[in-house]
Amino acid sequence: MSCNYADGLSAYDNKGILGAPESFDSDEDVAEKCQELADLIKKSGHVVLHTGAGISTSAGIPDFRGPKGVWTLEEKGEKPDFNVSFDEARPTKTHMAIIALIESGYVQYVISQNIDGLHLKSGLDRKYLSELHGNIYIEQCKKCRRQFVSPTAVETVGQKSLQRACKSSMDSKGRTCRYGILYDNVLDWEHDLPENDLEMGLMHSTVADLNIALGTTLQIVPSGDLPLKNLKRGGKFVICNLQPTKHDKKANLIVSSYVDVVLSKVCKLLGVEIPEYSEAADPTKQSKPMEWTIPTSNVNTFHKKYNKYVKDSKIESKAKKTKYT
């Protein structure tokens, strides 16, 4: 499938600010800010990354609102050039750096607006990932709601029928899923966000010591507002993006440089080696279908941690108010 999946979505006029100019920090400023970011990561116990289309442009997939973005050019009556198809695209330096940061314990969770499947291809485990807008490589059963990895990009977007039977031989209770039909799980404008992905994203964003936005202007809600969820209780918020974002004034640090450059420098400062992409770790390259459903047990387990965090925060807030009255 072409990377311009947006052609398959419903018409929608309110696409936000398009084509804002990009700005670049000097090499000296980038080095200084990357050191500051590395220090923030070291001091944080729970780091969450919020990824947007800007982390995939170096893979040949255009963004939406950049100077040469899909919607920016569409507004001018032009069409973007696509260097690769989804199936040809490979994870970028940023995608592989994220794998390294998670495996080394520096990052705890990733929340993505991207449907390109590059987090999946990089080998990122589902337990570390919320996909708020779907994934072009995922087929979801309309009946049992289980998700499965497709070896190629699916043919449709907008949660349409793929006219294929469910790949599930059994559900979680050992029962066969009968008569289930697979659909793509890429959202159209009018669709609700996937419940478990959104819930996990909201909880992780709230408990985070540090939320980092990578390659996104944060214009789409609710995903664009999630990085702010930790600010009320003293969390930090960092933006790495070339264009101005909706929430620049609320950020503790803004790095204006290519995300590949920023994460390469940060990983080096943290002593983390970035692996190369490997087909052996890519679920789309495996011979047997792989399930991609977020286990309900994962949501319930993190719910307990989240509820404890909220309870402890309320107690701490009440103690502070008592102290100063």
Side-chain angles (χ1 to χ4, degrees):
M1 172 180 272
S2 163
C3 288
N4 191 16
Y5 82 96
D7 279 348
L9 301 179
S10 303
Y12 188 76
D13 294 329
N14 188 20
K15 295 186 175 77
I17 299 171
L18 306 176
E22 297 177 337
S23 62
F24 292 83
D25 289 331
S26 67
D27 291 344
E28 293 78 9
D29 283 345
V30 170
E32 184 178 325
K33 289 180 178 182
C34 285
Q35 181 65 65
E36 186 177 349
L37 177 53
D39 291 341
L40 284 171
I41 292 173
K42 286 180 183 178
K43 294 174 183 176
S44 301
H46 199 93
V47 177
V48 177
L49 306 181
H50 302 255
T51 64
I55 76 165
S56 298
T57 53
S58 61
I61 299 175
D63 59 22
F64 295 98
R65 299 177 181 83
K68 295 183 180 180
V70 172
W71 292 331
T72 303
L73 294 179
E74 177 185 82
E75 190 178 47
K76 299 177 181 178
E78 302 175 14
K79 288 282 187 181
D81 293 324
F82 296 98
N83 299 322
V84 296
S85 67
F86 280 121
D87 290 336
E88 294 169 331
R90 294 291 179 264
T92 67
K93 181 72 74 172
T94 293
H95 291 94
M96 301 314 300
I98 290 171
I99 291 285
L101 289 168
I102 285 178
E103 291 180 349
S104 60
Y106 283 114
V107 168
Q108 280 62 52
Y109 204 70
V110 179
I111 302 166
S112 186
Q113 304 170 49
N114 298 342
I115 64 91
D116 54 37
L118 293 184
H119 282 307
L120 167 72
K121 289 182 176 183
S122 74
L124 181 60
D125 195 298
R126 184 65 157 121
K127 67 183 178 182
Y128 299 116
L129 176 65
S130 279
E131 294 181 310
L132 299 184
H133 299 159
N135 184 328
I136 200 71
Y137 285 90
I138 299 304
E139 304 169 327
Q140 180 166 310
C141 178
K142 193 82 167 181
K143 184 178 180 182
C144 71
R145 309 304 297 170
R146 292 172 74 179
Q147 297 178 344
F148 302 92
V149 177
S150 169
T152 58
V154 297
E155 312 92 276
T156 66
V157 295
Q159 299 184 348
K160 299 180 182 72
S161 174
L162 297 169
Q163 299 182 353
R164 291 195 286 272
C166 179
K167 296 178 180 177
S168 172
S169 57
M170 292 184 179
D171 66 14
S172 59
K173 295 183 180 179
R175 299 172 301 197
T176 301
C177 177
R178 300 178 63 186
Y179 312 119
I181 300 297
L182 295 173
Y183 284 64
D184 76 80
N185 87 326
V186 177
L187 271 61
D188 208 333
W189 292 103
E190 70 272 14
H191 292 140
D192 293 330
L193 271 63
E195 184 177 353
N196 282 347
D197 290 86
L198 179 57
E199 190 166 8
M200 289 292 280
L202 176 61
M203 291 190 293
H204 276 280
S205 299
T206 302
V207 306
D209 302 304
L210 176 62
N211 280 315
I212 306 173
L214 302 172
T216 169
T217 55
L218 302 170
Q219 293 190 59
I220 295 295
V221 294
S223 56
D225 292 339
L226 290 181
L228 309 180
K229 294 298 181 181
N230 67 340
L231 298 182
K232 186 177 179 180
R233 297 182 174 90
K236 302 293 184 182
F237 170 39
V238 173
I239 296 171
C240 299
N241 201 56
L242 292 175
Q243 291 177 292
T245 82
K246 180 181 175 182
H247 297 307
D248 280 4
K249 292 182 180 179
K250 297 171 183 172
N252 299 97
L253 174 68
I254 299 175
V255 190
S256 297
S257 183
Y258 292 113
V259 183
D260 285 351
V261 171
V262 173
L263 286 198
S264 294
K265 289 181 179 295
V266 167
C267 283
K268 186 174 183 179
L269 290 166
L270 294 173
V272 174
E273 184 176 351
I274 302 174
E276 295 294 327
Y277 163 74
S278 168
E279 288 193 357
D282 181 348
T284 70
K285 302 298 183 182
Q286 308 313 308
S287 57
K288 294 183 179 180
M290 174 180 170
E291 187 166 352
W292 194 243
T293 317
I294 293 181
T296 302
S297 59
N298 285 14
V299 181
N300 293 338
T301 298
F302 200 76
H303 245 302
K304 295 177 182 177
K305 180 176 181 178
Y306 173 76
N307 289 336
K308 183 179 184 303
Y309 171 83
V310 171
K311 181 180 178 180
D312 291 346
S313 296
K314 287 181 178 178
I315 293 172
E316 183 180 347
S317 178
K318 185 176 181 181
K320 286 182 179 179
K321 288 181 180 179
T322 303
K323 181 180 179 180
Y324 294 107
T325 55

